[in-house]
């Protein structure tokens, strides 16, 4: 193939621009990213070679070599991994395969500070090389391909790149960075070594650098200098981090390991590292990120946990290892018992995998419980006994983290109610909601229960599209009047998730917009009597309303829910809530038609006026339509509504 020029996919060009303009303040991360790619490439070869050992050819070693050339101003990172064919170089280094990339790019504002925050959610990878280099050359030969079918890829990181066929003796890839004028500080063995130990110590492959030694000047008076000796030495620990004892690993090392497996830019919120022995033996190192990735909600998002078997990398999208609702977790699981040639199908069925999965879910949930427990400390300063609790530094560091976690991943965690029956109670305990007591989503179900009114028999909640709509919903009126707290749910997933949570700790959950409201012991005798009398006295009027609205309402009845509003709509027990129906319709799904129940407030002047009114029919329809509007619904025939209101106004 003679030299060809290709344009970058539009998203790559955008990403490149963003990377070089927003990450220049932290240029050194390029080394972590490129070594991490080199290590992945070696992992992939090892995995493919399980079935075809000829892929190793005459180079059995898997390693990374790091070198620099002061005169040419280059840094080269060479691995003996899987390599790339010509087409792979074009595809992998010229396009971004991640789904959702386009949508992510559209969110960028052009404001460099704000966008630099976002880039962390994306992961920079290979393109981070352009922070320090104004040209990158990649030379690569895919394992199994002949020497004459290697590829050279070159780009200056703006609009396009070129590829040509070359001959390359070694399998694997060399990434050659031609450093920018102002990035010469990286051309030093000392600097590179210190970056390797900072960022890549935990990589399980050896990272080699050529030894240097001091040489005096040739002649008297000429300066001496460091010269290369031709001997290579390993400059990292070269043992996988998770295999080392906990006590030998520093916080920084845990954090760096996280960043290199996740390509995240920020430190994680928490992690758990354990060796599990028992029915099956494995090591888990699981992290909770601080920020949601851009593709948290794309359907084919890759799972974040890498599976190893006896230190050998097997796959990094092993969905079987954690349920969907924990898809934000990153980390490594290394099993001692699974076979090395484990396939995806086998993973689904393996008993060992089931045990690992159960164990990992438990571990993540207890990590979250621990964060939740230490989220707020103001209560822990002085106990009732007058003794002031001392909060350890470690616990103090956890302050506020659960709130942060919940803002990023709370909605995903809720999916667990429907997905993980075995842990439903634990998940429910971890949920937080806004309520009529708190606009911020900080109320746990346990907090709510502890505040329940004497005689209150249910945990009340309402679902709506926005917090304002929930707070101002007419359905809340009687609860406000009686000072009963109601949970306000505005996440899209709430409605669905709540279907799976009928009770919490023995107390039923009850939507205030569903079924006949039974305030039970919260209503006193007098109120009950008044309600019964009203129902009796209103019977003829209700019958008339029912007739007038027979196309719209399933039933019409008097209500105990309302104080200030004339009417509201409720759904029958067992029917889909109107909020859910709206969401499904928006998503383009067909929804079974079920008519709501209209409840009227017998105390309201408008309702009182109905009886005997010459405008009865118009008023009845207005009452219904207003109730629908008040809960955020859409009128079927807005023009007819306007006409009726105008007729009455005139
Ligand atoms: P990511 O690693 O997140 O997929 P990168 O932009 O870092 O994204 O790399 C893009 C792709 O290029 C990788 O997925 C891989 O297929 C390929 N690649 C990068 N570096 C190497 C390498 N050293 N050896 C083989 N393939 C590589």
């Amino acid at each position: 193939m003679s030299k060809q020029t290709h344009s970058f996919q539009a998203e790559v060009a955008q990403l490149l621009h963003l990377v070089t303009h927003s990450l220049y303040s932290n240029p050194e991360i390029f080394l972590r990213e490129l070594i991490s790619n080199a290590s992945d490439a070696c992992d992939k070869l090892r995995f493919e070679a399980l079935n075809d050992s000829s892929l190793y050819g005459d180079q059995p070693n898997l390693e990374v070599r790091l070198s620099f050339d002061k005169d040419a101003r280059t840094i080269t990172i060479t691995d003996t991994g899987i390599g790339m064919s010509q087409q792979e170089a074009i595809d992998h280094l010229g396009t971004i395969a991640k789904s959702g990339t386009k949508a992510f790019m559209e969110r960028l504002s052009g404001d460099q500070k704000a966008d630099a925050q976002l880039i962390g959610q994306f992961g920079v990878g290979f393109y981070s090389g352009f922070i320090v280099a104004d040209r990158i050359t990649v030379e690569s030969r895919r394992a199994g391909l002949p020497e004459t079918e290697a590829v050279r890829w070159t780009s200056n990181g703006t609009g396009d790149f070129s590829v040509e066929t070359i001959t390359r003796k070694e399998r694997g890839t060399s990434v050659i960075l031609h450093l920018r004028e102002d990035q010469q500080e990286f051309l030093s063995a000392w600097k590179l070594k210190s970056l390797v130990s900072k960022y890549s110590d935990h990589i399980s492959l050896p990272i080699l650098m050529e030894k240097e030694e001091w040489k005096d000047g040739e002649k008297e008076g000429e300066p001496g200098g460091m010269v290369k000796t031709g001997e290579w030495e390993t400059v990292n620990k070269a043992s996988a981090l998770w295999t080392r004892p906990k006590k030998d690993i520093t916080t920084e090392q845990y954090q760096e390991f996280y960043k290199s497996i996740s390509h995240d830019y920020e430190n994680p919120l928490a992690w758990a590292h354990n060796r599990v022995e028992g029915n099956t033996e494995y090591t888990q190192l699981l992290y909770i990120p601080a920020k949601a990735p851009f593709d948290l909600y794309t359907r084919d998002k890759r799972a974040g946990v890498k599976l190893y078997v006896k230190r050998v990398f097997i796959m990094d999208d092993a969905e079987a290892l954690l349920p969907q609702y924990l898809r934000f977790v990153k980390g490594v699981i290394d099993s001692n018992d699974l076979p090395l040639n484990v396939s995806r199908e086998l993973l689904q069925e393996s008993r060992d995998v089931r045990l690992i999965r159960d164990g990992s879910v438990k571990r993540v949930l207890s990590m979250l419980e621990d964060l939740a427990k230490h989220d707020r400390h103001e209560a822990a300063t002085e106990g009732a006994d007058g003794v002031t609790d001392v909060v350890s530094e470690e616990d103090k560091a956890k302050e506020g983290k659960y709130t942060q976690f919940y803002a990023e991943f709370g909605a995903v965690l809720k999916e667990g109610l429907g997905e993980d029956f075995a842990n439903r109670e634990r998940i429910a305990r971890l949920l937080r909601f806004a309520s009529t007591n708190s606009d911020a989503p900080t109320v746990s179900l346990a907090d709510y229960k502890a505040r329940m009114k004497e005689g209150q028999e249910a945990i009340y909640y309402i679902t709506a599209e926005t917090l304002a709509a929930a707070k101002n919903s007419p359905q809340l009126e009687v609860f406000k009047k009686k000072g009963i707290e109601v949970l306000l749910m505005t996440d899209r997933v709430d409605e669905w998730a709540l279907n799976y949570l009928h009770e919490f700790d023995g107390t039923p959950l009850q939507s205030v917009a569903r079924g006949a409201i039974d305030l039970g012991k919260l209503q006193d005798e007098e109120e009950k009597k008044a309600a019964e009398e009203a129902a009796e006295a209103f019977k003829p009027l209700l019958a008339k309303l029912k007739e007038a609205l027979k196309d719209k309402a399933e039933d019409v009845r008097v209500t105990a829910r309302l104080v200030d509003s004339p009417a509201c709509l409720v759904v029958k027990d067992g029917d889909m809530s109107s909020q859910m129906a709206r969401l499904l319709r928006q998503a383009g799904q067909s929804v079974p038609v079920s008519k709501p129940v209209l409840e009227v407030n017998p105390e309201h002047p408008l309702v009182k006026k109905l009886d005997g009114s010459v405008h009865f029919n118009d008023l009845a329809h207005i009452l219904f339509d207003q109730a629908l509007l008040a809960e955020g619904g859409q009128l079927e025939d807005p023009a007819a509504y306007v006409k009726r209101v105008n007729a009455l106004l005139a």
Side-chain angles (χ1 to χ4, degrees):
M1 186 172 70
S2 58
K3 200 161 170 169
Q4 291 178 350
T5 303
H6 299 257
S7 300
F8 283 116
Q9 179 196 24
E11 287 88 339
V12 176
Q14 244 178 312
L15 180 67
L16 275 167
H17 181 85
L18 179 63
V19 165
T20 46
H21 286 81
S22 60
L23 295 183
Y24 55 83
S25 58
N26 193 11
E28 60 189 41
I29 59 149
F30 80 90
L31 196 62
R32 173 184 79 207
E33 299 293 318
L34 296 180
I35 289 180
S36 167
N37 278 353
S39 160
D40 287 350
C42 291
D43 278 349
K44 280 182 202 154
L45 175 62
R46 192 184 281 142
F47 181 65
E48 281 194 21
L50 290 174
N51 290 323
D52 177 7
S53 61
S54 74
L55 287 175
Y56 282 117
D58 56 7
Q59 167 57 289
N61 291 347
L62 292 175
E63 62 190 28
V64 180
R65 282 174 193 256
L66 178 58
S67 62
F68 64 96
D69 180 334
K70 253 190 147 123
D71 300 326
R73 283 201 265 140
T74 56
I75 290 178
T76 302
I77 298 128
T78 299
D79 65 66
T80 52
I82 190 77
M84 283 176 272
S85 67
Q86 288 162 12
Q87 193 55 46
E88 283 169 334
I90 295 170
D91 292 344
H92 295 164
L93 304 180
T95 57
I96 307 175
K98 296 181 219 181
S99 65
T101 301
K102 195 151 184 254
F104 170 80
M105 292 298 170
E106 279 161 6
R107 274 170 42 208
L108 299 178
S109 60
D111 170 6
Q112 275 167 27
K113 260 220 181 104
D115 291 348
Q117 294 279 320
L118 279 179
I119 189 79
Q121 299 169 39
F122 192 81
V124 283
F126 172 76
Y127 303 110
S128 63
F130 286 107
I131 312 171
V132 295
D134 48 24
R135 187 155 54 90
I136 299 181
T137 306
V138 178
E139 295 180 356
S140 189
R141 173 156 77 85
R142 182 134 191 355
L145 288 182
E147 292 181 14
T148 49
E149 284 181 34
V151 60
R152 178 182 292 130
W153 178 104
T154 313
S155 176
N156 63 7
T158 51
D160 45 33
F161 60 89
S162 67
V163 274
E164 64 191 303
T165 304
I166 57 165
T167 297
R168 179 179 162 94
K169 208 175 149 312
E170 308 79 20
R171 171 194 76 230
T173 304
S174 295
V175 177
I176 304 150
L177 305 167
H178 305 266
L179 295 192
R180 292 174 194 279
E181 198 77 57
D182 57 351
Q183 302 290 350
Q184 310 295 314
E185 58 159 332
F186 293 109
L187 296 171
S188 127
W190 177 84
K191 178 79 185 174
L192 291 175
K193 265 188 207 170
S194 74
L195 290 181
V196 168
S197 75
K198 180 168 172 194
Y199 289 124
S200 308
D201 218 19
H202 54 76
I203 296 277
S204 53
L205 300 168
I207 299 172
L208 303 167
M209 282 181 71
E210 200 176 338
K211 266 189 181 161
E212 289 188 328
E213 61 185 18
W214 180 261
K215 193 160 175 266
D216 289 330
E218 299 268 299
K219 293 189 208 119
E220 270 288 317
E222 241 182 49
M226 298 301 287
V227 293
K228 306 229 161 90
T229 60
E231 221 186 299
W232 291 74
E233 61 176 342
T234 303
V235 295
N236 66 330
K237 284 218 177 64
S239 75
L241 182 97
W242 65 90
T243 61
R244 299 183 214 155
K246 265 178 173 176
K247 63 171 173 40
D248 296 348
I249 308 175
T250 65
T251 298
E252 287 71 29
Q253 285 171 328
Y254 275 120
Q255 289 170 338
E256 281 312 325
F257 181 68
Y258 165 77
K259 288 179 186 168
S260 88
I261 56 165
S262 67
H263 295 283
D264 192 351
Y265 201 62
E266 272 184 58
N267 286 326
L269 275 187
W271 57 87
H273 181 195
N274 299 283
R275 201 183 314 273
V276 182
E277 280 155 15
N279 289 329
T280 184
E281 243 182 77
Y282 62 97
T283 300
Q284 55 183 195
L285 173 52
L286 301 173
Y287 291 91
I288 298 181
K291 276 264 160 59
F294 77 101
D295 57 353
L296 189 60
Y297 290 100
T298 37
R299 200 162 297 189
D300 52 352
K301 167 167 165 44
R302 298 183 130 214
V305 176
K306 290 177 186 248
L307 175 65
Y308 286 73
V309 172
K310 300 183 189 78
R311 321 287 161 268
V312 178
F313 170 76
I314 305 293
M315 58 183 91
D316 64 358
D317 53 351
E319 284 164 16
L321 294 178
L322 274 180
Q324 273 292 312
Y325 76 100
L326 298 180
R327 61 185 175 274
F328 52 84
V329 173
K330 303 267 190 242
V332 168
I333 286 175
D334 189 347
S335 159
N336 259 347
D337 300 323
L338 287 170
L340 273 170
N341 58 356
V342 63
S343 64
R344 267 167 229 282
E345 293 70 40
L346 200 105
L347 273 183
Q348 301 294 339
E349 281 149 30
S350 148
R351 187 193 71 111
D352 290 301
V353 171
R354 244 187 342 265
L355 290 169
I356 291 174
R357 178 183 163 112
D358 290 349
S360 302
V361 169
K362 293 220 160 71
R363 188 60 64 183
V364 174
L365 292 178
S366 44
M367 242 193 289
L368 294 177
E369 284 159 357
D370 186 53
L371 290 183
K373 192 169 121 199
H374 297 99
D375 200 34
R376 279 173 284 176
H377 276 305
E378 58 269 25
T381 42
E382 196 182 293
D385 50 5
V387 179
T388 304
D389 291 340
V390 180
V391 180
S392 73
E393 283 304 314
E394 202 188 329
D395 286 347
K396 230 185 230 150
K398 293 178 191 155
E399 229 166 284
K401 284 192 173 166
Y402 194 68
T403 304
Q404 194 184 342
F405 161 78
Y406 204 81
E408 295 287 324
F409 302 109
V412 177
L413 187 65
K414 283 177 191 163
E415 295 171 16
L417 292 178
E419 200 188 345
D420 186 355
F421 300 148
N423 290 299
R424 194 182 293 157
E425 176 85 16
R426 282 181 84 175
I427 297 166
R429 272 182 201 285
L430 286 166
L431 300 184
R432 300 289 181 269
F433 302 99
S435 86
T436 44
N437 282 15
S438 157
D439 277 358
T442 53
V443 182
S444 71
L445 293 170
D447 294 340
Y448 182 101
K449 269 200 79 165
R451 289 200 286 259
M452 270 172 39
K453 279 252 145 73
E454 176 117 8
Q456 184 180 345
E457 280 159 355
I459 296 171
Y460 293 107
Y461 69 90
I462 184 164
T463 54
E465 209 132 339
T466 63
L467 193 62
K471 268 165 78 173
N472 298 320
S473 164
Q475 265 107 346
L476 291 188
E477 289 172 3
V478 71
F479 295 91
K480 283 188 193 149
K481 186 175 147 199
K482 295 200 169 282
I484 299 169
E485 184 171 11
V486 177
L487 300 174
L488 309 174
M489 309 208 175
T490 52
D491 272 338
R492 297 198 139 211
V493 64
D494 286 332
E495 188 72 50
W496 173 84
L498 266 283
N499 275 331
Y500 295 95
L501 190 70
H502 301 292
E503 55 145 56
F504 173 74
D505 195 16
T507 307
L509 272 85
Q510 158 93 52
S511 160
V512 302
R514 184 187 286 275
I517 198 85
D518 179 12
L519 292 175
K521 296 187 186 121
L522 291 168
Q523 254 184 339
D524 55 38
E525 284 310 311
E526 219 168 285
E527 285 173 317
K528 271 190 193 147
K529 222 173 115 212
E532 276 162 26
E533 279 171 15
E536 194 54 36
F538 265 72
K539 263 197 177 148
L541 180 69
L542 293 178
K544 268 173 78 184
L545 276 171
K546 213 170 148 177
E547 176 58 26
L549 297 171
K550 65 174 185 290
D551 294 336
K552 288 180 169 170
E554 174 74 28
D555 194 8
V556 181
R557 60 188 181 219
V558 284
T559 186
R561 269 179 245 260
L562 300 174
V563 179
D564 303 318
S565 299
C568 68
L569 298 177
V570 296
V571 292
K572 277 187 305 176
D573 262 329
D575 270 1
M576 186 183 289
S577 83
S578 42
Q579 163 76 353
M580 181 75 139
R582 266 196 294 280
L583 288 177
L584 288 177
R585 261 186 231 114
Q586 276 167 17
Q589 299 198 32
S590 69
V591 178
V593 222
S594 61
K595 290 185 279 183
V597 174
L598 179 72
E599 291 196 350
V600 295
N601 175 2
E603 299 299 324
H604 198 276
L606 190 58
V607 176
K608 286 186 173 156
K609 219 169 120 182
L610 267 173
D611 213 5
S613 165
V614 287
H615 302 294
F616 183 86
N617 207 41
D618 281 345
L619 277 173
H621 281 277
I622 288 172
L623 212 55
F624 182 95
D625 287 352
Q626 283 188 342
L628 184 59
L629 286 174
E631 62 162 39
Q634 267 174 2
L635 299 181
E636 229 165 72
D637 187 356
Y641 170 77
V642 172
K643 222 163 138 187
R644 286 195 180 108
V645 171
N646 286 346
L648 285 180
L649 288 175

